Amino acid sequence: MESGRLSSTEQALIRESWQKVSGSSLEHGIVLFTRLFDLEPDLLPLFKYNCKQFSSPQECLSSPEFLDHIRKVMLVIDAAVTHLENLPCLEEYLANLGKKHQAVGVKVESFSAVGESLLYMLEKSLGPAFIPDVREAWRRLYGAVVQAMSRGWDTHKEGN
Ligand code: HEM
Protein backbone atom coordinates (compact mmCIF):
# COMPACT_ATOMS: atom_id res chain seq x y z
CA MET A 1 0.00 0.00 0.00
CA GLU A 2 1.37 3.34 -1.02
CA SER A 3 0.54 5.72 1.79
CA GLY A 4 3.77 4.80 3.55
CA ARG A 5 4.48 2.12 6.08
CA LEU A 6 3.11 2.66 9.53
CA SER A 7 5.92 3.27 12.00
CA SER A 8 6.41 0.78 14.81
CA THR A 9 5.08 3.41 17.24
CA GLU A 10 1.92 3.81 15.14
CA GLN A 11 1.54 0.04 14.95
CA ALA A 12 1.84 -0.25 18.74
CA LEU A 13 -0.73 2.52 19.32
CA ILE A 14 -3.18 0.82 16.98
CA ARG A 15 -2.72 -2.63 18.51
CA GLU A 16 -3.08 -1.32 22.04
CA SER A 17 -6.23 0.65 21.28
CA TRP A 18 -7.83 -2.14 19.22
CA GLN A 19 -7.38 -4.52 22.14
CA LYS A 20 -9.76 -2.40 24.17
CA VAL A 21 -12.37 -2.42 21.43
CA SER A 22 -12.19 -5.81 19.77
CA GLY A 23 -13.42 -7.74 22.81
CA SER A 24 -16.95 -6.45 22.21
CA SER A 25 -16.70 -5.71 18.54
CA LEU A 26 -20.40 -5.97 17.63
CA GLU A 27 -21.30 -3.42 20.28
CA HIS A 28 -18.61 -1.05 18.98
CA GLY A 29 -19.60 -1.71 15.40
CA ILE A 30 -23.16 -0.67 16.24
CA VAL A 31 -21.80 2.66 17.59
CA LEU A 32 -19.86 3.07 14.33
CA PHE A 33 -22.84 2.43 12.04
CA THR A 34 -25.26 4.46 14.17
CA ARG A 35 -22.90 7.38 13.68
CA LEU A 36 -22.60 6.60 9.96
CA PHE A 37 -26.38 6.85 9.45
CA ASP A 38 -26.39 10.14 11.41
CA LEU A 39 -23.74 11.51 9.06
CA GLU A 40 -25.01 9.93 5.83
CA PRO A 41 -28.66 8.83 6.06
CA ASP A 42 -28.60 8.34 2.27
CA LEU A 43 -26.52 5.18 2.74
CA LEU A 44 -29.48 3.37 4.32
CA PRO A 45 -31.10 2.29 1.00
CA LEU A 46 -27.88 0.50 -0.01
CA PHE A 47 -28.54 -2.08 2.65
CA LYS A 48 -31.36 -4.28 1.54
CA TYR A 49 -31.69 -7.95 2.14
CA ASN A 50 -34.09 -10.07 0.06
CA CYS A 51 -34.97 -6.86 -1.78
CA LYS A 52 -36.48 -5.45 1.38
CA GLN A 53 -35.70 -1.82 2.14
CA PHE A 54 -35.37 -0.59 5.73
CA SER A 55 -37.60 2.29 6.73
CA SER A 56 -35.29 3.67 9.42
CA PRO A 57 -31.72 3.31 10.71
CA GLN A 58 -33.18 1.71 13.86
CA GLU A 59 -34.89 -0.99 11.83
CA CYS A 60 -31.69 -1.60 9.87
CA LEU A 61 -29.56 -1.73 13.02
CA SER A 62 -31.75 -4.41 14.50
CA SER A 63 -31.80 -6.74 11.50
CA PRO A 64 -29.70 -9.92 11.76
CA GLU A 65 -28.34 -9.49 8.21
CA PHE A 66 -27.15 -5.98 8.91
CA LEU A 67 -25.61 -7.04 12.22
CA ASP A 68 -23.73 -9.64 10.18
CA HIS A 69 -22.43 -6.86 7.93
CA ILE A 70 -21.22 -5.02 11.03
CA ARG A 71 -19.38 -8.18 12.11
CA LYS A 72 -17.83 -8.44 8.64
CA VAL A 73 -16.60 -4.84 8.77
CA MET A 74 -15.09 -5.35 12.21
CA LEU A 75 -13.39 -8.54 10.98
CA VAL A 76 -11.77 -6.67 8.10
CA ILE A 77 -10.47 -4.04 10.53
CA ASP A 78 -9.26 -6.83 12.78
CA ALA A 79 -7.43 -8.41 9.84
CA ALA A 80 -5.77 -5.08 9.06
CA VAL A 81 -4.66 -4.73 12.69
CA THR A 82 -3.32 -8.30 12.65
CA HIS A 83 -1.34 -7.60 9.46
CA LEU A 84 -0.05 -4.12 10.30
CA GLU A 85 3.47 -5.19 9.48
CA ASN A 86 2.50 -6.57 6.13
CA LEU A 87 -0.57 -4.73 4.84
CA PRO A 88 0.22 -5.51 1.17
CA CYS A 89 -0.76 -9.12 1.83
CA LEU A 90 -4.37 -7.87 2.12
CA GLU A 91 -4.21 -5.88 -1.11
CA GLU A 92 -5.89 -8.41 -3.38
CA TYR A 93 -8.59 -9.30 -0.88
CA LEU A 94 -9.38 -5.59 -0.33
CA ALA A 95 -9.47 -4.75 -4.05
CA ASN A 96 -11.93 -7.57 -4.49
CA LEU A 97 -13.97 -6.32 -1.56
CA GLY A 98 -14.03 -2.89 -3.20
CA LYS A 99 -15.34 -4.48 -6.38
CA LYS A 100 -18.19 -6.09 -4.46
CA HIS A 101 -19.10 -2.72 -2.94
CA GLN A 102 -19.16 -1.05 -6.32
CA ALA A 103 -21.51 -3.81 -7.47
CA VAL A 104 -23.98 -3.03 -4.67
CA GLY A 105 -23.92 0.69 -5.49
CA VAL A 106 -21.46 2.09 -2.93
CA LYS A 107 -19.36 5.09 -4.00
CA VAL A 108 -15.72 5.39 -2.95
CA GLU A 109 -16.48 8.81 -1.43
CA SER A 110 -18.86 7.21 1.07
CA PHE A 111 -15.92 5.49 2.71
CA SER A 112 -14.76 8.81 4.16
CA ALA A 113 -17.92 9.01 6.29
CA VAL A 114 -17.19 5.43 7.42
CA GLY A 115 -13.70 6.61 8.42
CA GLU A 116 -15.10 9.51 10.43
CA SER A 117 -17.51 7.12 12.12
CA LEU A 118 -14.67 4.74 12.95
CA LEU A 119 -12.71 7.58 14.59
CA TYR A 120 -15.86 8.65 16.44
CA MET A 121 -16.38 5.12 17.77
CA LEU A 122 -12.73 4.89 18.89
CA GLU A 123 -12.96 8.27 20.60
CA LYS A 124 -16.13 7.25 22.47
CA SER A 125 -14.61 3.93 23.53
CA LEU A 126 -11.12 5.06 24.46
CA GLY A 127 -11.95 8.41 26.05
CA PRO A 128 -8.81 10.33 27.10
CA ALA A 129 -6.60 7.51 25.74
CA PHE A 130 -7.63 8.62 22.23
CA ILE A 131 -4.75 11.09 21.98
CA PRO A 132 -3.95 12.82 18.66
CA ASP A 133 -1.17 10.33 17.86
CA VAL A 134 -3.61 7.43 18.18
CA ARG A 135 -6.14 9.24 16.02
CA GLU A 136 -3.51 9.92 13.34
CA ALA A 137 -2.31 6.29 13.35
CA TRP A 138 -5.88 5.06 12.84
CA ARG A 139 -6.52 7.64 10.15
CA ARG A 140 -3.49 6.33 8.27
CA LEU A 141 -4.45 2.69 8.66
CA TYR A 142 -8.02 3.30 7.55
CA GLY A 143 -6.70 5.38 4.63
CA ALA A 144 -4.55 2.47 3.52
CA VAL A 145 -7.52 0.07 3.69
CA VAL A 146 -9.72 2.41 1.64
CA GLN A 147 -6.96 3.00 -0.88
CA ALA A 148 -6.65 -0.74 -1.38
CA MET A 149 -10.43 -1.18 -1.66
CA SER A 150 -10.66 1.67 -4.17
CA ARG A 151 -8.39 -0.24 -6.56
CA GLY A 152 -11.32 -2.59 -7.04
CA TRP A 153 -13.50 0.16 -8.49
CA ASP A 154 -13.90 -0.02 -12.18
CA THR A 155 -13.47 3.63 -13.12
CA HIS A 156 -14.88 3.13 -16.59
CA LYS A 157 -18.29 2.38 -15.20
CA GLU A 158 -20.64 5.15 -14.28
CA GLY A 159 -21.38 5.96 -10.67
CA ASN A 160 -17.99 5.32 -9.18
C1 HEM B 1 -20.56 2.94 2.74
C2 HEM B 1 -20.45 1.93 3.56
C3 HEM B 1 -20.80 0.50 3.20
C4 HEM B 1 -21.91 0.02 2.59
C5 HEM B 1 -23.13 0.80 2.11
C6 HEM B 1 -21.73 -1.42 2.49
C7 HEM B 1 -22.65 -2.28 1.92
C8 HEM B 1 -22.47 -3.64 1.77
C9 HEM B 1 -23.44 -4.54 1.19
C10 HEM B 1 -24.83 -4.12 0.68
C11 HEM B 1 -22.90 -5.78 1.21
C12 HEM B 1 -23.55 -7.09 0.69
C13 HEM B 1 -24.51 -7.63 1.71
C14 HEM B 1 -23.86 -8.04 3.01
O1 HEM B 1 -22.91 -8.87 3.01
O2 HEM B 1 -24.30 -7.54 4.05
C15 HEM B 1 -21.58 -5.69 1.81
C16 HEM B 1 -20.74 -6.75 2.03
C17 HEM B 1 -19.55 -6.67 2.73
N1 HEM B 1 -19.01 -5.54 3.29
FE1 HEM B 1 -19.75 -3.66 3.16
N2 HEM B 1 -20.53 -1.76 3.03
C18 HEM B 1 -19.93 -0.63 3.48
C19 HEM B 1 -18.70 -0.52 4.09
C20 HEM B 1 -17.87 -1.60 4.36
C21 HEM B 1 -16.57 -1.49 4.96
C22 HEM B 1 -15.90 -0.17 5.37
C23 HEM B 1 -16.07 -2.75 5.08
C24 HEM B 1 -14.77 -3.21 5.62
C25 HEM B 1 -13.70 -2.44 5.81
C26 HEM B 1 -17.07 -3.66 4.54
C27 HEM B 1 -16.97 -5.03 4.52
C28 HEM B 1 -17.83 -5.88 3.89
C29 HEM B 1 -17.62 -7.32 3.75
C30 HEM B 1 -16.41 -8.11 4.31
C31 HEM B 1 -18.69 -7.81 3.02
C32 HEM B 1 -18.93 -9.25 2.58
C33 HEM B 1 -18.34 -9.42 1.20
C34 HEM B 1 -18.49 -10.84 0.68
O3 HEM B 1 -19.62 -11.34 0.63
O4 HEM B 1 -17.46 -11.43 0.32
N3 HEM B 1 -18.15 -2.93 4.12
N4 HEM B 1 -21.35 -4.37 2.13
Side-chain angles (χ1 to χ4, degrees):
M1 297 187 197
E2 279 158 20
S3 47
R5 256 177 74 86
L6 292 162
S7 70
S8 51
T9 310
E10 286 175 314
Q11 294 185 23
L13 291 174
I14 290 171
R15 279 197 201 95
E16 195 190 333
S17 49
W18 188 243
Q19 227 170 20
K20 296 182 193 151
V21 168
S22 56
S24 44
S25 77
L26 180 61
E27 189 189 305
H28 289 103
I30 291 173
V31 173
L32 191 166
F33 274 91
T34 303
R35 178 66 171 176
L36 181 65
F37 289 136
D38 282 348
L39 296 175
E40 295 280 335
D42 291 351
L43 292 175
L44 186 65
L46 294 176
F47 292 101
K48 37 182 183 286
Y49 298 97
N50 302 318
C51 302
K52 196 186 167 294
Q53 199 109 15
F54 296 110
S55 57
S56 66
Q58 291 71 26
E59 195 194 351
C60 181
L61 283 154
S62 55
S63 95
E65 291 92 344
F66 185 73
L67 294 178
D68 272 345
H69 182 267
I70 294 183
R71 287 190 191 91
K72 293 174 199 172
V73 173
M74 298 303 273
L75 278 173
V76 174
I77 300 172
D78 194 65
V81 174
T82 305
H83 295 94
L84 283 175
E85 283 175 63
N86 185 18
L87 289 174
C89 75
L90 296 176
E91 194 98 354
E92 204 181 316
Y93 168 77
L94 290 174
N96 200 31
L97 187 58
K99 206 170 276 179
K100 288 182 183 172
H101 283 82
Q102 179 178 38
V104 293
V106 180
K107 298 188 172 162
V108 178
E109 302 86 79
S110 298
F111 285 126
S112 55
V114 179
E116 277 181 56
S117 308
L118 171 66
L119 296 176
Y120 172 88
M121 177 277 279
L122 289 167
E123 184 173 10
K124 289 279 156 207
S125 319
L126 301 170
F130 195 60
I131 56 171
D133 283 359
V134 177
R135 184 188 187 86
E136 179 59 14
W138 273 101
R139 204 190 54 74
R140 297 212 327 121
L141 173 62
Y142 181 75
V145 169
V146 168
Q147 194 184 43
M149 282 177 82
S150 66
R151 296 223 175 87
W153 255 258
D154 177 354
T155 45
H156 301 294
K157 275 189 194 156
E158 264 185 285
N160 76 89

